[in-house]
Amino acid sequence: MRAGIVEQNAPKRAIRILKEVRDEEGNRAGALSPNECFSVSFEIDFESQAIGHQELYMEVRADRYKQEVSRARTFGFLHEADQLRKMGLARGGSLDNAIVIDGDKIMNEGGLRYGNEFVRHKVLDSIGDLYLAGAPIIGHYHGIRTGHAQTYRLVKKLLSDNSAWEWVTLPIENQEKTAPRNATFAAPEKAVAASV
């Protein structure tokens, strides 16, 4: 049996952000704001010199996703690995699929796939987390030192505020771009916020 891709001849819906929604906790913050396409910016800051301060902005399109973030590996610190395994986590983690940092040194023999692979992975995480909304996003996401739980809370805040978003239907010829520039959208239909 083989899996594959089947093109659908049906309109694709997206969630367009109408006003800013934020989730802040200490020095961590995530925000969704209006934009004409789906874009993500992220900032991280670690004491380890192996990571340091990194920032990245990108418009999320299929071609850029594949080239710029899809191969960015998760990362963690060697001193945390034993604790994670005791908790039943990181069972499949290895130097083959994760970046391991010991102090200021990267333990992986081949080094990094990208010079800023750490922030690229955070962008990758946020793209996946935002899909918890149930459809592609047309808007901008900005994350500062945030993670999965905080992005989940942000999606819940968004969906619980019907004035912050609307459903739009993407033109069929532009659906592969998720949020085409200057697209003409069908009239929005307001939906009841889904529970995430």
Side-chain angles (χ1 to χ4, degrees):
M1 180 173 254
R2 290 178 48 190
I5 297 173
V6 176
E7 287 191 28
Q8 304 284 315
N9 189 18
K12 184 174 183 178
R13 296 193 323 165
I15 295 171
R16 179 166 39 196
I17 308 302
L18 300 175
K19 69 178 188 181
E20 185 177 80
V21 178
R22 296 183 67 79
D23 186 86
E24 296 179 292
E25 184 178 42
N27 67 350
R28 300 169 181 259
L32 283 164
S33 57
N35 197 20
E36 61 185 30
C37 64
F38 179 36
S39 60
V40 174
S41 58
F42 213 101
E43 300 175 43
I44 59 173
D45 199 3
F46 285 83
E47 289 183 19
S48 169
Q49 291 181 10
I51 304 173
H53 181 84
Q54 297 183 6
E55 296 182 25
L56 181 67
Y57 167 86
M58 71 177 290
E59 286 186 13
V60 182
R61 300 187 315 254
D63 58 335
R64 292 193 69 191
Y65 173 85
K66 184 176 180 180
Q67 293 174 350
E68 298 180 28
V69 296
S70 68
R71 296 183 63 242
R73 297 164 291 181
T74 191
F75 59 93
F77 293 90
L78 185 61
H79 69 272
E80 297 171 341
D82 288 338
Q83 183 62 32
L84 288 171
R85 288 200 172 96
K86 287 177 187 173
M87 295 168 55
L89 302 171
R91 289 182 170 176
S94 72
L95 291 172
D96 293 328
N97 58 21
I99 303 166
V100 179
I101 303 141
D102 185 12
D104 292 329
K105 182 181 176 192
I106 295 170
M107 303 297 295
N108 302 66
E109 188 176 313
L112 300 175
R113 292 177 178 168
Y114 310 95
N116 60 352
E117 187 169 356
F118 303 104
V119 74
R120 287 177 191 247
H121 182 76
K122 288 294 197 173
V123 167
L124 177 67
D125 278 351
S126 63
I127 292 168
D129 292 344
L130 290 170
Y131 263 83
L132 291 173
I137 299 282
I138 299 173
H140 178 72
Y141 171 76
H142 182 68
I144 302 172
R145 301 179 194 93
T146 189
H148 297 294
Q150 193 165 21
T151 308
Y152 171 77
R153 286 195 311 268
L154 179 66
V155 168
K156 284 183 69 174
K157 279 186 177 182
L158 172 72
L159 295 179
S160 67
D161 182 352
N162 282 337
S163 69
W165 64 281
E166 67 184 358
W167 286 114
V168 294
T169 302
L170 300 176
I172 291 175
E173 67 275 4
N174 289 322
Q175 288 186 11
E176 72 278 357
K177 296 178 182 177
T178 302
R181 289 184 175 277
N182 304 319
T184 303
F185 295 99
E189 55 178 280
K190 219 35 178 162
V192 175
S195 62
V196 178

mmCIF file of all heavy atoms in Angstrom, residues 34-81:
data_model
loop_
_atom_site.group_PDB
_atom_site.id
_atom_site.type_symbol
_atom_site.label_atom_id
_atom_site.label_comp_id
_atom_site.label_asym_id
_atom_site.label_seq_id
_atom_site.Cartn_x
_atom_site.Cartn_y
_atom_site.Cartn_z
ATOM 1 N N PRO A 34 -2.644 41.027 12.138
ATOM 2 C CA PRO A 34 -3.047 41.023 10.729
ATOM 3 C C PRO A 34 -1.852 41.151 9.784
ATOM 4 O O PRO A 34 -0.874 41.835 10.080
ATOM 5 C CB PRO A 34 -3.948 42.260 10.620
ATOM 6 C CG PRO A 34 -4.442 42.499 12.012
ATOM 7 C CD PRO A 34 -3.305 42.087 12.904
ATOM 8 N N ASN A 35 -1.943 40.488 8.653
ATOM 9 C CA ASN A 35 -0.930 40.555 7.597
ATOM 10 C C ASN A 35 -1.579 40.027 6.328
ATOM 11 O O ASN A 35 -2.559 39.288 6.395
ATOM 12 C CB ASN A 35 0.302 39.727 7.976
ATOM 13 C CG ASN A 35 1.523 40.060 7.152
ATOM 14 O OD1 ASN A 35 1.618 41.121 6.548
ATOM 15 N ND2 ASN A 35 2.473 39.148 7.111
ATOM 16 N N GLU A 36 -1.034 40.363 5.170
ATOM 17 C CA GLU A 36 -1.632 39.916 3.910
ATOM 18 C C GLU A 36 -1.215 38.499 3.518
ATOM 19 O O GLU A 36 -1.748 37.926 2.577
ATOM 20 C CB GLU A 36 -1.303 40.892 2.787
ATOM 21 C CG GLU A 36 0.166 41.030 2.515
ATOM 22 C CD GLU A 36 0.469 42.101 1.478
ATOM 23 O OE1 GLU A 36 -0.287 43.062 1.384
ATOM 24 O OE2 GLU A 36 1.477 41.932 0.775
ATOM 25 N N CYS A 37 -0.254 37.930 4.230
ATOM 26 C CA CYS A 37 0.169 36.562 3.975
ATOM 27 C C CYS A 37 0.511 35.926 5.319
ATOM 28 O O CYS A 37 0.421 36.569 6.351
ATOM 29 C CB CYS A 37 1.374 36.536 3.042
ATOM 30 S SG CYS A 37 2.841 37.301 3.755
ATOM 31 N N PHE A 38 0.896 34.656 5.298
ATOM 32 C CA PHE A 38 1.328 33.999 6.530
ATOM 33 C C PHE A 38 2.820 34.224 6.673
ATOM 34 O O PHE A 38 3.603 33.840 5.807
ATOM 35 C CB PHE A 38 1.002 32.512 6.475
ATOM 36 C CG PHE A 38 1.439 31.740 7.708
ATOM 37 C CD1 PHE A 38 1.391 32.291 8.978
ATOM 38 C CD2 PHE A 38 1.877 30.431 7.586
ATOM 39 C CE1 PHE A 38 1.786 31.573 10.105
ATOM 40 C CE2 PHE A 38 2.265 29.693 8.701
ATOM 41 C CZ PHE A 38 2.218 30.273 9.955
ATOM 42 N N SER A 39 3.203 34.869 7.748
ATOM 43 C CA SER A 39 4.616 35.086 8.027
ATOM 44 C C SER A 39 4.888 34.809 9.494
ATOM 45 O O SER A 39 3.986 34.865 10.331
ATOM 46 C CB SER A 39 5.038 36.516 7.662
ATOM 47 O OG SER A 39 4.291 37.465 8.409
ATOM 48 N N VAL A 40 6.134 34.491 9.769
ATOM 49 C CA VAL A 40 6.556 34.163 11.136
ATOM 50 C C VAL A 40 7.867 34.878 11.416
ATOM 51 O O VAL A 40 8.764 34.911 10.567
ATOM 52 C CB VAL A 40 6.771 32.630 11.304
ATOM 53 C CG1 VAL A 40 7.358 32.294 12.668
ATOM 54 C CG2 VAL A 40 5.467 31.876 11.081
ATOM 55 N N SER A 41 7.981 35.439 12.604
ATOM 56 C CA SER A 41 9.268 35.934 13.081
ATOM 57 C C SER A 41 9.466 35.370 14.474
ATOM 58 O O SER A 41 8.508 35.162 15.223
ATOM 59 C CB SER A 41 9.332 37.467 13.085
ATOM 60 O OG SER A 41 8.319 38.016 13.885
ATOM 61 N N PHE A 42 10.708 35.097 14.795
ATOM 62 C CA PHE A 42 11.002 34.452 16.073
ATOM 63 C C PHE A 42 12.324 34.968 16.605
ATOM 64 O O PHE A 42 13.254 35.226 15.836
ATOM 65 C CB PHE A 42 11.071 32.927 15.893
ATOM 66 C CG PHE A 42 10.580 32.171 17.090
ATOM 67 C CD1 PHE A 42 9.321 31.617 17.109
ATOM 68 C CD2 PHE A 42 11.385 32.039 18.215
ATOM 69 C CE1 PHE A 42 8.865 30.931 18.227
ATOM 70 C CE2 PHE A 42 10.935 31.361 19.326
ATOM 71 C CZ PHE A 42 9.673 30.799 19.337
ATOM 72 N N GLU A 43 12.390 35.108 17.917
ATOM 73 C CA GLU A 43 13.625 35.504 18.598
ATOM 74 C C GLU A 43 13.898 34.504 19.717
ATOM 75 O O GLU A 43 12.988 34.140 20.463
ATOM 76 C CB GLU A 43 13.477 36.880 19.249
ATOM 77 C CG GLU A 43 13.168 38.007 18.303
ATOM 78 C CD GLU A 43 12.911 39.308 19.053
ATOM 79 O OE1 GLU A 43 13.665 39.612 20.010
ATOM 80 O OE2 GLU A 43 11.953 40.002 18.697
ATOM 81 N N ILE A 44 15.152 34.071 19.820
ATOM 82 C CA ILE A 44 15.562 33.241 20.947
ATOM 83 C C ILE A 44 16.813 33.852 21.559
ATOM 84 O O ILE A 44 17.547 34.597 20.911
ATOM 85 C CB ILE A 44 15.825 31.764 20.543
ATOM 86 C CG1 ILE A 44 16.913 31.671 19.470
ATOM 87 C CG2 ILE A 44 14.540 31.102 20.092
ATOM 88 C CD1 ILE A 44 17.345 30.246 19.153
ATOM 89 N N ASP A 45 17.049 33.512 22.808
ATOM 90 C CA ASP A 45 18.208 34.044 23.515
ATOM 91 C C ASP A 45 18.603 33.038 24.597
ATOM 92 O O ASP A 45 17.843 32.814 25.538
ATOM 93 C CB ASP A 45 17.863 35.397 24.147
ATOM 94 C CG ASP A 45 19.095 36.203 24.487
ATOM 95 O OD1 ASP A 45 20.208 35.757 24.182
ATOM 96 O OD2 ASP A 45 18.933 37.293 25.061
ATOM 97 N N PHE A 46 19.747 32.406 24.421
ATOM 98 C CA PHE A 46 20.237 31.408 25.369
ATOM 99 C C PHE A 46 21.598 31.836 25.889
ATOM 100 O O PHE A 46 22.382 32.462 25.168
ATOM 101 C CB PHE A 46 20.368 30.038 24.693
ATOM 102 C CG PHE A 46 19.057 29.340 24.456
ATOM 103 C CD1 PHE A 46 18.284 29.645 23.341
ATOM 104 C CD2 PHE A 46 18.602 28.373 25.333
ATOM 105 C CE1 PHE A 46 17.087 29.012 23.107
ATOM 106 C CE2 PHE A 46 17.393 27.725 25.105
ATOM 107 C CZ PHE A 46 16.631 28.045 23.993
ATOM 108 N N GLU A 47 21.895 31.466 27.132
ATOM 109 C CA GLU A 47 23.198 31.780 27.710
ATOM 110 C C GLU A 47 24.322 31.028 27.018
ATOM 111 O O GLU A 47 25.435 31.521 26.919
ATOM 112 C CB GLU A 47 23.208 31.475 29.216
ATOM 113 C CG GLU A 47 22.380 32.447 30.017
ATOM 114 C CD GLU A 47 22.461 32.177 31.507
ATOM 115 O OE1 GLU A 47 23.412 31.495 31.958
ATOM 116 O OE2 GLU A 47 21.564 32.646 32.219
ATOM 117 N N SER A 48 24.032 29.834 26.543
ATOM 118 C CA SER A 48 25.053 29.041 25.856
ATOM 119 C C SER A 48 25.530 29.776 24.616
ATOM 120 O O SER A 48 24.731 30.213 23.778
ATOM 121 C CB SER A 48 24.492 27.679 25.451
ATOM 122 O OG SER A 48 25.374 27.017 24.573
ATOM 123 N N GLN A 49 26.852 29.900 24.468
ATOM 124 C CA GLN A 49 27.415 30.561 23.286
ATOM 125 C C GLN A 49 27.184 29.745 22.019
ATOM 126 O O GLN A 49 27.296 30.269 20.910
ATOM 127 C CB GLN A 49 28.899 30.837 23.490
ATOM 128 C CG GLN A 49 29.166 31.898 24.525
ATOM 129 C CD GLN A 49 30.656 32.168 24.705
ATOM 130 O OE1 GLN A 49 31.487 31.696 23.931
ATOM 131 N NE2 GLN A 49 30.987 32.938 25.725
ATOM 132 N N ALA A 50 26.851 28.468 22.163
ATOM 133 C CA ALA A 50 26.539 27.647 20.996
ATOM 134 C C ALA A 50 25.263 28.140 20.311
ATOM 135 O O ALA A 50 25.084 27.951 19.111
ATOM 136 C CB ALA A 50 26.378 26.181 21.405
ATOM 137 N N ILE A 51 24.386 28.782 21.081
ATOM 138 C CA ILE A 51 23.118 29.282 20.543
ATOM 139 C C ILE A 51 23.114 30.812 20.542
ATOM 140 O O ILE A 51 22.996 31.439 19.504
ATOM 141 C CB ILE A 51 21.914 28.760 21.352
ATOM 142 C CG1 ILE A 51 21.916 27.238 21.411
ATOM 143 C CG2 ILE A 51 20.611 29.286 20.745
ATOM 144 C CD1 ILE A 51 20.863 26.646 22.322
ATOM 145 N N GLY A 52 23.210 31.416 21.714
ATOM 146 C CA GLY A 52 23.212 32.872 21.831
ATOM 147 C C GLY A 52 21.885 33.480 21.446
ATOM 148 O O GLY A 52 20.821 32.894 21.636
ATOM 149 N N HIS A 53 21.928 34.669 20.846
ATOM 150 C CA HIS A 53 20.726 35.382 20.403
ATOM 151 C C HIS A 53 20.573 35.184 18.903
ATOM 152 O O HIS A 53 21.513 35.427 18.140
ATOM 153 C CB HIS A 53 20.841 36.885 20.716
ATOM 154 C CG HIS A 53 19.626 37.654 20.294
ATOM 155 N ND1 HIS A 53 18.504 37.746 21.079
ATOM 156 C CD2 HIS A 53 19.350 38.337 19.158
ATOM 157 C CE1 HIS A 53 17.585 38.467 20.441
ATOM 158 N NE2 HIS A 53 18.077 38.834 19.282
ATOM 159 N N GLN A 54 19.394 34.736 18.482
ATOM 160 C CA GLN A 54 19.119 34.529 17.063
ATOM 161 C C GLN A 54 17.719 35.038 16.747
ATOM 162 O O GLN A 54 16.810 34.925 17.570
ATOM 163 C CB GLN A 54 19.205 33.040 16.688
ATOM 164 C CG GLN A 54 20.571 32.433 16.869
ATOM 165 C CD GLN A 54 20.620 30.970 16.425
ATOM 166 O OE1 GLN A 54 19.670 30.419 15.875
ATOM 167 N NE2 GLN A 54 21.762 30.339 16.663
ATOM 168 N N GLU A 55 17.556 35.583 15.547
ATOM 169 C CA GLU A 55 16.262 36.057 15.066
ATOM 170 C C GLU A 55 16.074 35.598 13.631
ATOM 171 O O GLU A 55 17.038 35.477 12.884
ATOM 172 C CB GLU A 55 16.181 37.592 15.099
ATOM 173 C CG GLU A 55 16.262 38.198 16.469
ATOM 174 C CD GLU A 55 16.135 39.714 16.454
ATOM 175 O OE1 GLU A 55 15.531 40.264 15.494
ATOM 176 O OE2 GLU A 55 16.642 40.347 17.388
ATOM 177 N N LEU A 56 14.820 35.366 13.263
ATOM 178 C CA LEU A 56 14.513 34.971 11.892
ATOM 179 C C LEU A 56 13.121 35.465 11.539
ATOM 180 O O LEU A 56 12.198 35.389 12.348
ATOM 181 C CB LEU A 56 14.564 33.448 11.733
ATOM 182 C CG LEU A 56 14.295 32.899 10.330
ATOM 183 C CD1 LEU A 56 15.401 33.289 9.358
ATOM 184 C CD2 LEU A 56 14.145 31.387 10.358
ATOM 185 N N TYR A 57 12.959 35.972 10.316
ATOM 186 C CA TYR A 57 11.666 36.359 9.762
ATOM 187 C C TYR A 57 11.517 35.634 8.430
ATOM 188 O O TYR A 57 12.467 35.556 7.652
ATOM 189 C CB TYR A 57 11.584 37.874 9.501
ATOM 190 C CG TYR A 57 10.388 38.236 8.647
ATOM 191 C CD1 TYR A 57 9.145 38.456 9.226
ATOM 192 C CD2 TYR A 57 10.492 38.290 7.258
ATOM 193 C CE1 TYR A 57 8.045 38.757 8.446
ATOM 194 C CE2 TYR A 57 9.388 38.581 6.467
ATOM 195 C CZ TYR A 57 8.165 38.813 7.069
ATOM 196 O OH TYR A 57 7.070 39.080 6.290
ATOM 197 N N MET A 58 10.337 35.118 8.165
ATOM 198 C CA MET A 58 10.091 34.525 6.853
ATOM 199 C C MET A 58 8.617 34.552 6.508
ATOM 200 O O MET A 58 7.762 34.438 7.384
ATOM 201 C CB MET A 58 10.622 33.097 6.752
ATOM 202 C CG MET A 58 9.861 32.062 7.536
ATOM 203 S SD MET A 58 10.473 30.369 7.308
ATOM 204 C CE MET A 58 10.008 30.014 5.634
ATOM 205 N N GLU A 59 8.334 34.753 5.220
ATOM 206 C CA GLU A 59 7.004 34.517 4.698
ATOM 207 C C GLU A 59 6.922 33.018 4.465
ATOM 208 O O GLU A 59 7.802 32.442 3.825
ATOM 209 C CB GLU A 59 6.778 35.273 3.393
ATOM 210 C CG GLU A 59 6.585 36.750 3.583
ATOM 211 C CD GLU A 59 6.228 37.462 2.284
ATOM 212 O OE1 GLU A 59 5.883 36.783 1.285
ATOM 213 O OE2 GLU A 59 6.299 38.692 2.281
ATOM 214 N N VAL A 60 5.895 32.389 4.999
ATOM 215 C CA VAL A 60 5.788 30.932 4.925
ATOM 216 C C VAL A 60 5.095 30.543 3.628
ATOM 217 O O VAL A 60 3.912 30.783 3.434
ATOM 218 C CB VAL A 60 5.031 30.377 6.147
ATOM 219 C CG1 VAL A 60 4.963 28.857 6.070
ATOM 220 C CG2 VAL A 60 5.703 30.830 7.437
ATOM 221 N N ARG A 61 5.886 29.987 2.726
ATOM 222 C CA ARG A 61 5.401 29.437 1.461
ATOM 223 C C ARG A 61 6.008 28.042 1.333
ATOM 224 O O ARG A 61 7.037 27.753 1.935
ATOM 225 C CB ARG A 61 5.850 30.304 0.286
ATOM 226 C CG ARG A 61 5.366 31.735 0.329
ATOM 227 C CD ARG A 61 5.715 32.455 -0.979
ATOM 228 N NE ARG A 61 7.070 32.211 -1.423
ATOM 229 C CZ ARG A 61 8.065 33.104 -1.347
ATOM 230 N NH1 ARG A 61 7.868 34.286 -0.809
ATOM 231 N NH2 ARG A 61 9.263 32.803 -1.796
ATOM 232 N N ALA A 62 5.399 27.200 0.530
ATOM 233 C CA ALA A 62 5.860 25.813 0.409
ATOM 234 C C ALA A 62 7.336 25.728 0.036
ATOM 235 O O ALA A 62 8.092 24.952 0.631
ATOM 236 C CB ALA A 62 5.006 25.056 -0.600
ATOM 237 N N ASP A 63 7.780 26.538 -0.933
ATOM 238 C CA ASP A 63 9.174 26.450 -1.365
ATOM 239 C C ASP A 63 10.131 26.908 -0.262
ATOM 240 O O ASP A 63 11.154 26.272 -0.008
ATOM 241 C CB ASP A 63 9.399 27.244 -2.654
ATOM 242 C CG ASP A 63 9.037 28.724 -2.535
ATOM 243 O OD1 ASP A 63 8.203 29.085 -1.672
ATOM 244 O OD2 ASP A 63 9.576 29.531 -3.319
ATOM 245 N N ARG A 64 9.800 27.980 0.412
ATOM 246 C CA ARG A 64 10.675 28.481 1.478
ATOM 247 C C ARG A 64 10.654 27.547 2.687
ATOM 248 O O ARG A 64 11.671 27.337 3.327
ATOM 249 C CB ARG A 64 10.261 29.893 1.888
ATOM 250 C CG ARG A 64 10.528 30.891 0.772
ATOM 251 C CD ARG A 64 10.434 32.290 1.225
ATOM 252 N NE ARG A 64 11.554 32.580 2.120
ATOM 253 C CZ ARG A 64 11.631 33.685 2.848
ATOM 254 N NH1 ARG A 64 10.692 34.589 2.788
ATOM 255 N NH2 ARG A 64 12.665 33.891 3.630
ATOM 256 N N TYR A 65 9.488 27.000 2.988
ATOM 257 C CA TYR A 65 9.383 26.052 4.102
ATOM 258 C C TYR A 65 10.335 24.878 3.879
ATOM 259 O O TYR A 65 11.109 24.516 4.760
ATOM 260 C CB TYR A 65 7.940 25.567 4.231
ATOM 261 C CG TYR A 65 7.767 24.465 5.247
ATOM 262 C CD1 TYR A 65 7.588 24.755 6.583
ATOM 263 C CD2 TYR A 65 7.806 23.130 4.853
ATOM 264 C CE1 TYR A 65 7.447 23.740 7.522
ATOM 265 C CE2 TYR A 65 7.663 22.115 5.774
ATOM 266 C CZ TYR A 65 7.484 22.426 7.104
ATOM 267 O OH TYR A 65 7.356 21.421 8.034
ATOM 268 N N LYS A 66 10.274 24.308 2.691
ATOM 269 C CA LYS A 66 11.106 23.137 2.391
ATOM 270 C C LYS A 66 12.593 23.475 2.466
ATOM 271 O O LYS A 66 13.380 22.736 3.045
ATOM 272 C CB LYS A 66 10.752 22.589 1.008
ATOM 273 C CG LYS A 66 11.490 21.329 0.654
ATOM 274 C CD LYS A 66 11.030 20.764 -0.674
ATOM 275 C CE LYS A 66 11.780 19.491 -1.000
ATOM 276 N NZ LYS A 66 11.365 18.923 -2.281
ATOM 277 N N GLN A 67 12.995 24.608 1.881
ATOM 278 C CA GLN A 67 14.411 24.967 1.830
ATOM 279 C C GLN A 67 14.950 25.526 3.144
ATOM 280 O O GLN A 67 16.106 25.307 3.476
ATOM 281 C CB GLN A 67 14.643 26.004 0.730
ATOM 282 C CG GLN A 67 14.427 25.482 -0.655
ATOM 283 C CD GLN A 67 14.524 26.584 -1.702
ATOM 284 O OE1 GLN A 67 14.577 27.762 -1.381
ATOM 285 N NE2 GLN A 67 14.531 26.199 -2.962
ATOM 286 N N GLU A 68 14.127 26.270 3.872
ATOM 287 C CA GLU A 68 14.657 27.063 4.973
ATOM 288 C C GLU A 68 14.384 26.547 6.378
ATOM 289 O O GLU A 68 15.112 26.895 7.292
ATOM 290 C CB GLU A 68 14.143 28.501 4.848
ATOM 291 C CG GLU A 68 14.624 29.152 3.565
ATOM 292 C CD GLU A 68 14.140 30.580 3.417
ATOM 293 O OE1 GLU A 68 13.906 31.240 4.444
ATOM 294 O OE2 GLU A 68 14.008 31.027 2.272
ATOM 295 N N VAL A 69 13.332 25.749 6.558
ATOM 296 C CA VAL A 69 13.073 25.300 7.934
ATOM 297 C C VAL A 69 12.769 23.817 8.099
ATOM 298 O O VAL A 69 12.905 23.293 9.201
ATOM 299 C CB VAL A 69 11.937 26.120 8.611
ATOM 300 C CG1 VAL A 69 12.309 27.564 8.763
ATOM 301 C CG2 VAL A 69 10.621 25.951 7.898
ATOM 302 N N SER A 70 12.378 23.118 7.053
ATOM 303 C CA SER A 70 11.916 21.733 7.221
ATOM 304 C C SER A 70 12.984 20.800 7.793
ATOM 305 O O SER A 70 12.658 19.813 8.444
ATOM 306 C CB SER A 70 11.393 21.172 5.896
ATOM 307 O OG SER A 70 12.438 21.015 4.962
ATOM 308 N N ARG A 71 14.253 21.090 7.567
ATOM 309 C CA ARG A 71 15.330 20.213 8.049
ATOM 310 C C ARG A 71 15.937 20.671 9.378
ATOM 311 O O ARG A 71 16.888 20.069 9.869
ATOM 312 C CB ARG A 71 16.431 20.147 6.985
ATOM 313 C CG ARG A 71 15.954 19.501 5.686
ATOM 314 C CD ARG A 71 17.065 19.359 4.663
ATOM 315 N NE ARG A 71 18.117 18.481 5.152
ATOM 316 C CZ ARG A 71 19.382 18.881 5.356
ATOM 317 N NH1 ARG A 71 19.759 20.110 5.119
ATOM 318 N NH2 ARG A 71 20.270 18.023 5.795
ATOM 319 N N ALA A 72 15.384 21.722 9.968
ATOM 320 C CA ALA A 72 15.935 22.239 11.226
ATOM 321 C C ALA A 72 15.551 21.309 12.372
ATOM 322 O O ALA A 72 14.376 21.091 12.648
ATOM 323 C CB ALA A 72 15.425 23.657 11.472
ATOM 324 N N ARG A 73 16.556 20.752 13.038
ATOM 325 C CA ARG A 73 16.331 19.750 14.085
ATOM 326 C C ARG A 73 16.019 20.391 15.434
ATOM 327 O O ARG A 73 16.449 21.489 15.738
ATOM 328 C CB ARG A 73 17.577 18.878 14.248
ATOM 329 C CG ARG A 73 17.919 18.068 13.019
ATOM 330 C CD ARG A 73 19.323 17.535 13.079
ATOM 331 N NE ARG A 73 20.272 18.653 12.944
ATOM 332 C CZ ARG A 73 21.590 18.509 12.946
ATOM 333 N NH1 ARG A 73 22.124 17.322 13.073
ATOM 334 N NH2 ARG A 73 22.375 19.560 12.801
ATOM 335 N N THR A 74 15.296 19.631 16.244
ATOM 336 C CA THR A 74 15.079 20.037 17.626
ATOM 337 C C THR A 74 16.420 20.037 18.344
ATOM 338 O O THR A 74 17.403 19.468 17.858
ATOM 339 C CB THR A 74 14.072 19.115 18.327
ATOM 340 O OG1 THR A 74 13.706 19.701 19.582
ATOM 341 C CG2 THR A 74 14.629 17.711 18.554
ATOM 342 N N PHE A 75 16.472 20.677 19.506
ATOM 343 C CA PHE A 75 17.744 20.749 20.215
ATOM 344 C C PHE A 75 17.521 20.676 21.717
ATOM 345 O O PHE A 75 16.436 20.944 22.216
ATOM 346 C CB PHE A 75 18.512 22.021 19.833
ATOM 347 C CG PHE A 75 17.781 23.308 20.126
ATOM 348 C CD1 PHE A 75 17.978 23.981 21.321
ATOM 349 C CD2 PHE A 75 16.912 23.849 19.193
ATOM 350 C CE1 PHE A 75 17.316 25.167 21.586
ATOM 351 C CE2 PHE A 75 16.250 25.036 19.442
ATOM 352 C CZ PHE A 75 16.449 25.703 20.642
ATOM 353 N N GLY A 76 18.564 20.275 22.406
ATOM 354 C CA GLY A 76 18.494 20.185 23.858
ATOM 355 C C GLY A 76 19.892 20.128 24.444
ATOM 356 O O GLY A 76 20.889 20.004 23.727
ATOM 357 N N PHE A 77 19.945 20.217 25.756
ATOM 358 C CA PHE A 77 21.217 20.232 26.468
ATOM 359 C C PHE A 77 21.500 18.861 27.054
ATOM 360 O O PHE A 77 20.609 18.193 27.570
ATOM 361 C CB PHE A 77 21.193 21.301 27.554
ATOM 362 C CG PHE A 77 21.121 22.690 26.986
ATOM 363 C CD1 PHE A 77 19.893 23.292 26.744
ATOM 364 C CD2 PHE A 77 22.283 23.375 26.648
ATOM 365 C CE1 PHE A 77 19.825 24.561 26.194
ATOM 366 C CE2 PHE A 77 22.222 24.643 26.097
ATOM 367 C CZ PHE A 77 20.990 25.245 25.870
ATOM 368 N N LEU A 78 22.772 18.453 26.975
ATOM 369 C CA LEU A 78 23.187 17.138 27.450
ATOM 370 C C LEU A 78 22.785 16.916 28.901
ATOM 371 O O LEU A 78 22.292 15.847 29.249
ATOM 372 C CB LEU A 78 24.712 16.987 27.289
ATOM 373 C CG LEU A 78 25.297 15.627 27.624
ATOM 374 C CD1 LEU A 78 24.705 14.544 26.724
ATOM 375 C CD2 LEU A 78 26.821 15.654 27.485
ATOM 376 N N HIS A 79 22.920 17.927 29.745
ATOM 377 C CA HIS A 79 22.594 17.758 31.170
ATOM 378 C C HIS A 79 21.099 17.533 31.416
ATOM 379 O O HIS A 79 20.704 17.070 32.479
ATOM 380 C CB HIS A 79 23.090 18.961 31.989
ATOM 381 C CG HIS A 79 22.354 20.232 31.735
ATOM 382 N ND1 HIS A 79 22.719 21.105 30.729
ATOM 383 C CD2 HIS A 79 21.273 20.780 32.339
ATOM 384 C CE1 HIS A 79 21.899 22.144 30.730
ATOM 385 N NE2 HIS A 79 21.003 21.971 31.690
ATOM 386 N N GLU A 80 20.252 17.804 30.409
ATOM 387 C CA GLU A 80 18.811 17.579 30.549
ATOM 388 C C GLU A 80 18.375 16.213 30.022
ATOM 389 O O GLU A 80 17.279 15.751 30.314
ATOM 390 C CB GLU A 80 18.036 18.657 29.785
ATOM 391 C CG GLU A 80 18.257 20.055 30.293
ATOM 392 C CD GLU A 80 17.660 21.113 29.380
ATOM 393 O OE1 GLU A 80 17.395 20.820 28.191
ATOM 394 O OE2 GLU A 80 17.471 22.235 29.863
ATOM 395 N N ALA A 81 19.230 15.566 29.244
ATOM 396 C CA ALA A 81 18.846 14.322 28.570
ATOM 397 C C ALA A 81 18.441 13.215 29.533
ATOM 398 O O ALA A 81 17.425 12.547 29.328
ATOM 399 C CB ALA A 81 19.972 13.847 27.661
#
